[in-house]
Amino acid sequence: TQLLEQSPQFLSIQEGENLTVYCNSSSVFSSLQWYRQEPGEGPVLLVTVVTGGEVKKLKRLTFQFGDARKDSSLHITAAQPGDTGLYLCAGAIPGGYQKVTFGTGTKLQVIP
Amino acid sequence: EAQVTQNPRYLITVTGKKLTVTCSQNMNHEYMSWYRQDPGLGLRQIYYSMNVEVTDKGDVPEGYKVSRKEKRNFPLILESPSPNQTSLYFCASSLSRRAGGYYEQYFGPGTRLTVT
């Protein structure tokens, strides 16, 4: 059972366009992270959101954690070819142990 | 340089031939984990370890074994590999999460395994 569903699965856009990637679940998470993975490499952390309703900005990337801490979104403004990659959300399951579940991933291609 | 290393990076083997993928981290992290990545399924956790001699199953542990005899090393063992274990494998490490806290996982470069 996949706890975290990401949409869209694939996205191909022109340089300069805006886009939003969604990460949804019926479960509550204590924190949620977004990673970016480039071909041939492991995922690299972009941001962690902890509080319901929290918004974080990382240059042209805006991350939001849903009020109920069940969903999150990643918005990219004026996408660049360097944004190309696989975007993964990862939710930490509440409790005293280190359980984390990853989303299905969104593959983004930004065409120059 | 802080890093997670995995070896080998690529491996082609045959069904039933035992293999071990090594993972080592130099950040003194307590927590280590193994994932497999398959198209359309994202990253799925195989096993994780909260500290030396403490391991637990993730979401897809069948067919895999792990051990954590030293803090820095967390090898993944496939006793009798099968074709359905063909995948891209990642090792990751992080500090242990404190109550109410969160942690960043540092990933290795991946091991692409093909079982024929």
Side-chain angles (χ1 to χ4, degrees), chain A residues 24-65:
Chain A
N24 294 304
S25 175
S26 57
S27 303
V28 174
F29 296 101
S30 57
S31 64
L32 196 135
Q33 297 172 319
W34 285 92
Y35 289 81
R36 181 168 67 208
Q37 183 181 11
E38 300 191 15
E41 299 180 10
V44 176
L45 181 69
L46 295 173
V47 78
T48 301
V49 285
V50 180
T51 306
E54 183 176 2
V55 177
K56 280 192 173 178
K57 291 193 174 185
L58 185 67
K59 296 183 181 179
R60 294 175 292 98
L61 279 61
T62 301
F63 305 86
Q64 183 163 10
F65 202 11

Side-chain angles (χ1 to χ4, degrees), chain B residues 60-74:
Chain B
V60 288
E62 294 78 21
Y64 304 95
K65 283 176 58 177
V66 294
S67 68
R68 187 89 181 275
K69 293 184 170 56
E70 304 168 282
K71 197 173 187 179
R72 63 183 294 125
N73 296 323
F74 191 44

Side-chain angles (χ1 to χ4, degrees), chain B residues 63-106:
Chain B
Y64 304 95
K65 283 176 58 177
V66 294
S67 68
R68 187 89 181 275
K69 293 184 170 56
E70 304 168 282
K71 197 173 187 179
R72 63 183 294 125
N73 296 323
F74 191 44
L76 179 69
I77 303 156
L78 283 72
E79 295 270 4
S80 183
S82 61
N84 64 12
Q85 292 178 298
T86 292
S87 187
L88 180 58
Y89 291 86
F90 288 100
C91 180
S93 74
S94 73
L95 295 169
S96 279
R97 186 174 65 151
R98 306 291 189 266
Y102 54 90
Y103 56 94
E104 171 181 1
Q105 290 197 78
Y106 293 82

